[in-house]
Amino acid sequence: MRICVGLSLLVALPAAAAPPPGASSCAGCHGGGGMPVLAGQPAEAIAGTMLAYKAGRGSPTVMDRIARGFTEEEIRAIAAWVSAPR
Amino acid sequence: MRRRALLGAALLAAPALAQAAPKVVVIGGGFGGATAARALHRLGVAVTLVERDATYLSCPFSNAVIAGLREMEAQRFGYDGLRREGIAVVLQAARTVEARQVVLADGATLPFDRLVMAPGIALRPDAIPGLDTEVMPHAWRAGPQTLLLRRQLEAMEDGGLVVLSAPANPYRCPPGPYERASLIAHHLKTRKPRSKLILLDAKDTFSKQKLFEEAWAALYPGLLEWVPLSSGGKVVEVDAAARVVRTEFGEHQAAVANIIPPQSAGRIAQAAGLTDRSGWCPVDPVSFESRQRAGVHLIGDAIIAGAMPKSAFAANAQARVCAEAVAALLRGEAPAPPKLINTCYSLVEPGYGISIAGVYQPANGLLADVPGAGGVSALGAPAATRAAEAGYAEDWFRTVTADAFG
């Protein structure tokens, strides 16, 4: 019985590309309410800005504190995911 | 995909099961629950949201309503956006949770493969002897209490004493009492300048403390006094009718008293056996699944989240991670370890905002701060920075409410 249910769920829910660690939190602010919308922007530009903030360059109010919580690899993965139009 | 479907159908003895989409019920339509319902729906899950009230009133920005800076209707959000997307919304209280089904107030049941609960908080006014919240409002859940406190402040004569008390940790919105004290002080300064506010605190330190104290010294000297635990800040009892607030060290005759009592996870979490001795809900920090009940996930203010605070931003972030984890588990996969962000703005007067941020990851069974990340706004920052953060607070509110409620 459990196996049957498991299989039926497997059929009903195809896996979509899951967000990399941290990426889903961005939508709390960056969703069109006033702060920059990330979807559709070049991933390289988003990653470059975040990496600059992480390195202490630029003068953001809060994004430097957040960028320091991620490795360069994580930042590039997040940038690729949030830049995709959805 | 087609091949997997055929394989699944061939192996299944009962055809009805082959067609059944996984059912997830979400209890609670606040920032966490509404976001979770929408995120699960986008992931292809059949979602039913169970919510007691026809509309939701936001706690974020409700301190501005109390201080007369904002109207309550700006706090109100409905569920039509969710319904339009195809999410079933059941406007009823959940009575309890049985094995794989939710029992509603009218006795009807909703079966689920997995359950997500965002039950928020229950207030514990009984923890403070003498407290009558119709006389000394808590205003810690947006609604009639918010408006009651606002009316009391509006009706108070100039020269009155406002007493506000903040509870010990943990509680909903750690910087909330200090933002409230600030905005009430702004109200007094501009409308009733002979009045005073005393903020009694059941602890010796608090969120964004240096930033609040910097602002209070500049904006409200002699008007706002903070009394920490070690100086007699803990309220031990009140005489509601006489509007007297007693602490370990003495008593205060208030014109208006706003007592924020201790809290615990929302009632349904207690009824479902999801709380531990602390009154809050232990969860796995990767899947947000209850440690006390398999198949039930919890998010938001009700959970023991380690370093992550009880905020609307946190609930929204947890909802998205939890939705991904639930979808993975329904596919028979293990959820990936997440990272989560929290950002929380407070206003100390109109146009003067301060913030705290953090990045969190699972560690030792809880959500822990990522070392080196997070922190608060700079001390001594120019007015333009404070104004920018006040604006970002409004940007965040517009975005997160649209994200949660559509």
Side-chain angles (χ1 to χ4, degrees):
Chain A
M1 183 62 190
R2 284 183 73 92
I3 293 167
C4 290
V5 172
L7 277 173
S8 72
L9 303 184
L10 210 94
V11 169
L13 267 191
S24 66
S25 289
C26 305
C29 286
H30 296 278
M35 290 184 211
V37 175
L38 303 172
Q41 289 198 31
E44 190 53 41
I46 297 169
T49 303
M50 284 283 282
L51 289 167
Y53 291 162
K54 179 179 164 70
R57 295 193 299 273
S59 52
T61 54
V62 71
M63 284 310 299
D64 51 342
R65 295 176 248 160
I66 291 169
R68 288 197 302 270
F70 297 93
T71 64
E72 178 172 347
E73 188 183 4
E74 287 173 332
I75 285 172
R76 292 195 183 283
I78 290 169
W81 195 83
V82 299
S83 70
R86 56 173 61 81
Chain B
M1 185 57 217
R2 186 165 293 163
R3 202 168 51 125
R4 276 165 82 190
L6 286 172
L7 179 67
L11 286 176
L12 284 165
L17 277 175
Q19 291 152 17
K23 286 191 182 66
V24 174
V25 175
V26 177
I27 296 178
F31 285 98
T35 303
R38 295 189 74 202
L40 285 160
H41 178 74
R42 281 194 296 268
L43 290 165
V45 177
V47 185
T48 301
L49 176 70
V50 177
E51 163 57 43
R52 181 189 49 203
D53 300 321
T55 57
Y56 180 74
L57 290 164
S58 163
C59 274
F61 277 88
S62 68
N63 283 334
V65 176
I66 290 167
L69 298 166
R70 185 180 177 91
E71 293 311 312
M72 190 60 133
E73 284 313 298
Q75 302 298 104
R76 190 182 297 279
F77 298 89
Y79 301 100
D80 285 345
L82 278 71
R83 291 190 190 94
R84 274 195 298 272
E85 291 173 348
I87 297 166
V89 179
V90 175
L91 292 180
Q92 269 199 67
R95 188 195 296 165
T96 192
V97 179
E98 295 178 347
R100 302 293 177 201
Q101 65 178 18
V102 174
V103 182
L104 300 173
D106 71 356
T109 56
L110 290 173
F112 61 80
D113 293 293
R114 286 192 175 265
L115 173 66
V116 176
M117 291 177 58
I121 57 164
L123 290 147
R124 297 172 47 219
D126 294 352
I128 298 174
L131 183 55
D132 176 350
T133 58
E134 292 304 311
V135 179
M136 295 182 167
H138 54 75
W140 214 240
R141 194 182 289 121
Q145 284 271 307
T146 312
L147 296 174
L148 174 60
L149 180 56
R150 172 173 165 155
R151 284 197 304 274
Q152 289 183 350
L153 289 166
E154 284 169 350
M156 189 183 84
E157 289 185 18
D158 191 7
L161 174 66
V162 178
V163 175
L164 198 160
S165 90
N169 293 322
Y171 61 95
R172 162 178 284 177
C173 190
Y178 312 95
E179 177 187 73
R180 177 175 294 179
S182 304
L183 294 183
I184 291 175
H186 171 78
H187 172 84
L188 299 178
K189 181 180 168 180
T190 51
R191 313 256 186 98
K192 293 163 185 174
R194 294 192 297 118
S195 308
K196 193 177 167 186
L197 184 149
I198 291 181
L199 171 50
L200 301 170
D201 206 333
K203 52 196 176 299
D204 280 324
T205 60
F206 61 88
S207 177
K208 306 177 196 167
Q209 181 168 350
K210 289 198 168 90
L211 289 160
F212 276 113
E213 289 176 336
E214 177 185 62
W216 293 344
L219 300 172
Y220 311 122
L223 198 164
L224 192 165
E225 180 191 352
W226 175 63
V227 182
L229 172 68
S230 56
S231 300
K234 185 178 179 181
V235 174
V236 292
E237 66 170 353
V238 299
D239 182 337
R243 287 203 163 84
V244 169
V245 179
R246 294 198 180 89
T247 68
E248 288 170 331
F249 286 28
E251 65 178 44
H252 302 275
Q253 176 64 57
V256 173
N258 168 208
I259 308 296
I260 304 166
Q263 296 148 34
S264 63
R267 186 203 55 81
I268 184 67
Q270 299 170 48
L274 302 168
T275 51
D276 70 9
R277 256 182 289 177
S278 73
W280 304 96
C281 303
V283 299
D284 178 274
V286 174
S287 65
F288 291 86
E289 189 165 7
S290 168
R291 292 202 185 278
Q292 303 192 177
R293 196 155 175 174
V296 178
H297 301 250
L298 289 139
I299 51 174
D301 292 350
I303 69 169
I304 300 169
M308 205 168 185
K310 300 185 186 303
S311 74
F313 193 115
N316 176 261
Q318 291 165 5
R320 292 168 164 279
V321 168
C322 179
E324 291 285 347
V326 166
L329 289 163
L330 289 172
R331 289 191 303 264
E333 298 166 9
K339 277 191 172 181
L340 297 101
I341 299 168
N342 178 64
T343 304
C344 170
Y345 294 97
S346 302
L347 292 177
V348 290
E349 70 170 354
Y352 187 139
I354 54 178
S355 67
I356 186 166
V359 184
Y360 310 91
Q361 62 191 0
N364 302 318
L366 290 169
L367 288 163
D369 280 304
V370 173
V376 298
S377 311
L379 281 170
T385 302
R386 305 301 191 213
E389 292 218 291
Y392 297 154
E394 299 203 16
D395 291 349
W396 166 75
F397 187 75
R398 275 190 294 273
T399 305
V400 78
T401 53
D403 189 54
F405 303 103

